[in-house]
Amino acid sequence: VGKRSNITQATTSLIKIDTSFSARKKKAIIIASDKYIASNIWLPLVTPSRDGQDIAGILKTKFGYDTTLLINPTRDVILKTIDEIAFKENSNPHDQYIIYFAGHGFWEQRRKTGYIVPVNAASFQNEQLPESAELSTYIDYHVLFNNLNHLNKVLLITDVCFGGTSFNSIV
């Protein structure tokens, strides 16, 4: 009587997390792609791998970030790596994350959505009208932001074509 519902919540033993500023983690995920399976539409790039290595080195040595460097990763590897920090780590509200993408990106006008192109992205049968199945092999900014939304302090850097459209995709 007087309860709002009759659903009982399972009790779990929670691990106490030090949420102080001094206990914060600083992590960076550096994703650099310069070779693509769909080379008929995504030409090889010259600088992303070198840029990724340089940025990872600077963040690690000068700023003390725990860096994960992914050179030419597949879509699944990228999303799994982001999932691990967004959903599997015990988060401190002061933890800081930098996510850096270098490579190809594009804007799909009909869907009003931007995408990051992983190395294993599919070719389009019709570049003017990409199909949903083809686009599912790309990283949609909606999916990326939904995953990163679980973190408190994130800096996303997109050194990709149409990287600025990431905000257009979610607004």
Side-chain angles (χ1 to χ4, degrees):
V1 177
K3 294 183 181 178
R4 294 183 66 190
S5 74
N6 60 359
I7 300 173
T8 30
Q9 302 230 343
T11 58
T12 58
S13 61
L14 298 175
I15 298 170
K16 178 103 171 113
I17 299 169
D18 182 354
T19 59
S20 67
F21 184 75
S22 62
R24 80 181 186 279
K25 291 181 262 183
K26 296 183 347 181
K27 289 195 163 200
I29 299 174
I30 310 302
I31 301 154
S33 301
D34 53 20
K35 297 179 178 99
Y36 298 87
I37 292 171
S39 57
N40 59 324
I41 57 174
W42 305 114
L43 299 176
L45 297 170
V46 176
T47 62
S49 291
R50 186 181 66 232
D51 292 348
Q53 291 169 345
D54 290 347
I55 288 180
I58 290 167
L59 289 173
K60 185 174 188 157
T61 59
K62 293 197 182 226
F63 298 101
Y65 275 80
D66 173 13
T67 60
T68 299
L69 176 61
L70 304 174
I71 302 291
N72 294 315
T74 64
R75 180 182 189 275
D76 289 345
V77 168
I78 294 168
L79 293 177
K80 180 181 181 207
T81 303
I82 290 172
D83 279 357
E84 285 176 2
I85 65 163
F87 300 110
K88 294 181 182 171
E89 287 190 0
N90 292 325
S91 184
N92 175 334
H94 301 293
D95 289 349
Q96 298 173 339
Y97 299 93
I98 295 176
I99 314 294
Y100 172 87
F101 284 96
H104 280 301
F106 80 101
W107 174 256
E108 210 285 305
Q109 183 60 36
R110 289 181 309 148
R111 290 173 177 83
K112 306 273 188 256
T113 300
Y115 297 86
I116 292 173
V117 182
V119 298
N120 63 330
S123 292
F124 301 133
Q125 288 183 358
N126 180 344
E127 290 181 37
Q128 303 306 314
L129 301 168
E131 297 177 6
S132 293
E134 295 164 339
L135 290 171
S136 71
T137 65
Y138 292 73
I139 298 175
D140 179 333
Y141 282 118
H142 292 102
V143 171
L144 181 62
F145 277 103
N146 186 48
N147 290 353
L148 294 178
N149 191 41
H150 295 275
L151 300 172
N152 194 31
K153 296 178 183 199
V154 179
L155 173 62
L156 174 65
I157 302 168
T158 54
D159 185 7
V160 300
C161 294
F162 302 101
T165 66
S166 60
F167 293 109
N168 296 11
S169 298
I170 61 168
V171 173

